[in-house]
Amino acid sequence: MADPVWVQLTHQGRNDDGGLGVGGATYIGTLGSDWTQEQDVPFRVRFVIQQTNASKTVQNQMFELFQNYNSGGFVQVTSISTELALVNDANSIADDAATVQDIGSGTYSTGESLGYCDGTSDNDTGNCDFNGAEEVEVEFCCQIQSTDVTATESFILEIRLSGGGSLDTYTDRPTVTVGVVADESSSSSSSLTSSSSSVTSSSSSLTSSSSSQSTSSSQSADISSVSSSSSVTSSSSSTSSSSASSESSSISDGVVNLPRSKSVTFVGPSSKSAAVVGPASSAIASPG
């Protein structure tokens, strides 16, 4: 009978914020995608592992997680390893707990599938059974150790058989880029918030200044308008006064000057006459 044929088919990153099964902890990105992970923050990564030899039955197979940091070669991830270590999850999931199908789509194990590992009791999964061509899902809880890594460098992750034997095919290996330390990320966010507040304050000051300038301009315009109105009133008064003076009646050399240059004949005594300039053209008889 031929040997089993092992395939690491795909993976998905996972936050350490919920249970192990379907609808548990939230996933990172999409199936098969790489991601950037903050330092000193627990996270999980889930793999689909297939045994593709339909005529082969495998019982009690366990799996381990290996990492290659910054192209330095693959080493096992354990609870005491540097750079990347197994850590206890925050959701009280028992080490070696059973896993069910969540991200895969092949024929799932009809036997045991104790595929969870967080390093609290050992550095590998529990027993997984393959009755012919079947698959299991294994999940590891890890943490990037800030004392041993540099931001923007990366890990390549792969699953191996218990004892360190490589799988036959790696269809997909995740690459996890080292992000910033969690505290630095929070500090950066606070700094951005403070900067935003300063910009808002500056904008408010500019708005206030603009409002003051607008009010000042409005007041200046009102004063100018009042001044102009006063000048017009004064000019109008002067014009009215001048007009009134020019239209006032006057007598000069026997000629009576009345408004609007209308003329009449005035007949007076002792054959004295005078030309009367005034409204209407009627003759006015003077007694005597």
Side-chain angles (χ1 to χ4, degrees):
M1 183 179 291
D3 292 332
V5 178
W6 301 107
V7 178
Q8 179 175 302
L9 183 64
T10 191
H11 77 278
Q12 191 161 4
R14 204 170 194 185
N15 297 303
D16 185 32
D17 60 0
L20 188 59
V22 177
T26 56
Y27 282 100
I28 300 170
T30 57
L31 187 66
S33 65
D34 301 328
W35 74 97
T36 297
Q37 180 63 45
E38 285 184 327
Q39 302 171 41
D40 298 332
V41 175
F43 70 97
R44 285 139 62 177
V45 56
R46 194 176 184 98
F47 299 85
V48 176
I49 305 300
Q50 293 180 331
Q51 195 290 114
T52 60
N53 185 347
S55 62
K56 185 68 175 178
T57 297
V58 180
Q59 302 291 319
N60 302 326
Q61 180 63 57
M62 295 181 288
F63 298 95
E64 300 169 346
L65 178 64
F66 276 67
Q67 60 92 354
N68 182 347
Y69 174 62
N70 205 28
S71 302
F74 280 97
V75 296
Q76 186 181 1
V77 179
T78 71
S79 60
I80 59 171
S81 59
T82 59
E83 303 164 348
L84 182 68
L86 297 174
V87 294
N88 190 16
D89 66 274
N91 302 277
S92 301
I93 303 171
D95 197 23
D96 299 340
T99 54
V100 298
Q101 191 171 55
D102 196 9
I103 62 173
S105 58
T107 302
Y108 203 73
S109 172
T110 54
E112 283 190 310
S113 176
L114 307 180
Y116 182 69
C117 178
D118 61 11
T120 55
S121 61
D122 51 45
N123 296 311
D124 51 20
T125 68
N127 294 327
C128 298
D129 298 337
F130 300 83
N131 298 310
E134 293 181 342
E135 69 184 30
V136 298
E137 296 184 12
V138 298
E139 186 167 315
F140 292 79
C141 187
C142 316
Q143 179 174 293
I144 297 174
Q145 308 289 66
S146 63
T147 55
D148 306 309
V149 299
T150 302
T152 73
E153 294 182 343
S154 62
F155 297 91
I156 298 173
L157 304 179
E158 68 177 37
I159 298 300
R160 294 192 181 183
L161 304 173
S162 182
S166 297
L167 306 187
D168 297 285
T169 302
Y170 291 91
T171 303
D172 172 46
R173 286 186 179 95
T175 297
V176 180
T177 301
V178 179
V180 297
V181 178
D183 290 344
E184 292 179 358
S185 178
S186 299
S187 176
S188 176
S189 177
S190 297
S191 177
L192 287 173
T193 302
S194 176
S195 176
S196 177
S197 298
S198 296
V199 170
T200 302
S201 176
S202 176
S203 177
S204 298
S205 296
L206 287 174
T207 302
S208 176
S209 175
S210 176
S211 177
S212 297
Q213 290 177 356
S214 177
T215 302
S216 177
S217 296
S218 177
Q219 291 174 342
S220 178
D222 290 343
I223 292 169
S224 178
S225 176
V226 169
S227 176
S228 175
S229 177
S230 298
S231 298
V232 170
T233 303
S234 175
S235 173
S236 177
S237 298
S238 298
T239 303
S240 298
S241 176
S242 174
S243 176
S245 296
S246 64
E247 291 189 4
S248 295
S249 299
S250 62
I251 300 175
S252 177
D253 297 326
V255 178
V256 179
N257 296 305
L258 297 177
R260 293 183 293 279
S261 302
K262 305 283 184 164
S263 62
V264 295
T265 301
F266 177 83
V267 180
S270 304
S271 67
K272 291 184 179 179
S273 66
V276 178
V277 181
S281 296
S282 57
I284 301 174
S286 176

